[in-house]
Amino acid sequence: MHVPDGFIDAPVSVAAGVFAVGAVAVSLRGARRELDERTAPLAGLVAAFIFAVQMLNFPVAAGTSGHLMGGALAAILVGPYTAVLCLSVVLLLQGIFFADGGLTALGVNITVMGVVTVVVAYGVFRLLAGLLPRSRRSATASAFVAALVSVPASAAAFTLLYWIGGTTDIPIGKVFTAMVGVHVLIGIGEAVITALTVGAVLAVRPDLVHGVQGSLAAPLKLRVDGELVDAPAATRDPEPAPAHRSTRGFWITGLVSAFLLAGFVSFYASANPDGLERVAADQGFDEKVEEHGAADSPLADYGVGDIENARLSGGLAGVIGVSATVVVGTGVFWVVRRRKEEPGEEPGQAPRDRDRENA
């Protein structure tokens, strides 16, 4: 649901841009509490993975496709503040280099796809996590529901902005019904991808999933009269500290997966217009689309301009995009992480610990 230039008027686009800048500023500060030496490169990987999966449009209805937004996935894996930064990096690179999402609409896209999806998804996930049993199955189910809800919420947010600053006089009720209706279907695909990814990470490295930190420690079991029962608290061994476990293998596996998805699988993605494009065509406001400021980019429309072979061109563009995203994202997150380590403090010391020492 990348909003192009021309759908939203200048005043609302500027206001959305100011809001997006504020959200990113708050997220930069909040991400310092979420990032450490392990999660900083993981956050860059999450951004690259989202970039790759967003290239995989899947059919949701006759003549309509959808793609992952990624807000729920990023929020659950690396935390809500870092997730906003992940989506902002992805949307910025997509807009500047791949002509995907308008440049004047960048604030709208960050607001709708990078803030609303994260806030709604993480709120739903934490609510369900508090109500359901603490298990991997429950966490995966919570991720499914959170992702499902976040997508139509994003569509509703776009409809609100269009109601305030749309460049075409169209009954807003029709836009709302069409946008939310098609994005509920897209949300199902988002939910499946998010649940599968979160479930896979939980199966191998639950310590790397921000949304369940400290909540999935399995109690020690004892067999008594042929039945398994929880061991008394005093006899339980302490849970091994996950900080000492290397993330190198996990990071390499994730990066290779992102390269394969963007460089090869993306060729088989649906060519049908996505939900916003379909609604815009059906409601008649697609005529307001303005030429993208980066239309002359050599990577515009996810292809390398001088390569005629579509498979090679698209695959190479995907590999370049994943590479750029992981480099820029990891660089941003390393800088954010290092800024929280003030002179004289121990690496990784939390701000609340510093405040307690200074009290």
Side-chain angles (χ1 to χ4, degrees):
M1 192 175 62
H2 292 74
V3 181
D5 294 324
F7 278 11
I8 308 295
D9 63 22
V12 174
S13 294
V14 171
V18 172
F19 176 83
V21 169
V24 169
V26 171
S27 298
L28 284 169
R29 186 175 183 83
R32 298 177 191 174
R33 299 190 297 270
E34 297 173 344
L35 295 170
D36 56 30
E37 65 276 5
R38 295 181 311 138
T39 55
L42 177 62
L45 174 62
V46 169
F49 186 80
I50 290 173
F51 179 95
V53 180
Q54 283 195 0
M55 294 181 65
L56 309 180
N57 279 47
F58 49 84
V60 296
T64 307
S65 69
H67 62 73
L68 182 84
M69 291 190 187
L73 178 62
I76 295 168
L77 290 181
V78 295
Y81 295 108
T82 306
V84 171
L85 300 181
C86 284
L87 269 295
S88 298
V89 168
V90 171
L91 291 168
L92 180 64
L93 293 178
Q94 287 173 335
I96 293 177
F97 296 106
F98 297 89
D100 191 9
L103 296 180
T104 62
L106 181 60
V108 173
N109 283 315
I110 291 177
T111 298
V112 171
M113 295 178 63
V115 177
V116 172
T117 58
V118 168
V119 171
V120 171
Y122 197 70
V124 172
F125 181 83
R126 295 304 302 170
L127 175 63
L128 293 176
L131 297 175
L132 298 176
R134 294 184 176 183
S135 67
R136 294 177 183 176
R137 182 175 299 178
S138 296
T140 302
S142 298
F144 181 95
V145 176
L148 176 61
V149 174
S150 70
V151 176
S154 178
F158 166 79
T159 305
L160 176 62
L161 292 178
Y162 196 83
W163 178 51
I164 299 172
T167 54
T168 304
D169 186 15
I170 296 176
I172 198 63
K174 292 184 177 181
V175 178
F176 176 83
T177 301
M179 283 293 294
V180 173
V182 71
H183 282 88
V184 167
L185 299 178
I186 296 174
I188 296 174
E190 174 113 6
V192 170
I193 295 172
T194 301
L196 288 175
T197 305
V198 171
V201 178
L202 284 172
V204 295
R205 290 298 302 268
D207 58 294
L208 295 180
V209 180
H210 176 90
V212 299
Q213 284 182 358
S215 65
L216 293 182
L220 181 65
K221 298 286 186 178
L222 295 178
R223 185 174 297 276
V224 179
D225 295 330
E227 296 183 1
L228 290 176
V229 297
D230 289 345
T235 66
R236 296 178 188 174
D237 294 330
E239 184 181 6
H244 299 295
R245 298 179 61 185
S246 172
T247 61
R248 180 178 300 176
F250 180 87
W251 192 88
I252 292 174
T253 300
L255 186 60
V256 170
S257 299
F259 279 132
L260 288 175
L261 291 172
F264 177 72
V265 181
S266 63
F267 180 77
Y268 301 97
S270 173
N272 291 328
D274 67 16
L276 176 58
E277 293 170 337
R278 171 56 63 185
V279 171
D282 292 344
Q283 300 300 323
F285 60 89
D286 59 329
E287 298 177 357
K288 292 293 185 177
V289 175
E290 299 175 359
E291 183 178 7
H292 200 286
D296 295 331
S297 168
L299 298 174
D301 298 323
Y302 298 94
V304 179
D306 295 333
I307 299 179
E308 296 182 359
N309 184 286
R311 184 190 297 269
L312 180 60
S313 176
L316 183 57
V319 169
I320 293 173
V322 168
S323 301
T325 305
V326 76
V327 169
V328 173
T330 302
V332 168
F333 299 128
W334 270 111
V335 170
V336 172
R337 185 193 74 84
R338 290 179 65 85
R339 285 193 62 185
K340 79 174 182 179
E341 296 180 1
E342 298 176 355
E345 72 177 51
E346 293 296 327
Q349 185 180 18
R352 67 184 65 178
D353 296 333
R354 296 196 305 268
D355 295 339
R356 187 162 49 245
E357 290 177 359
N358 294 331

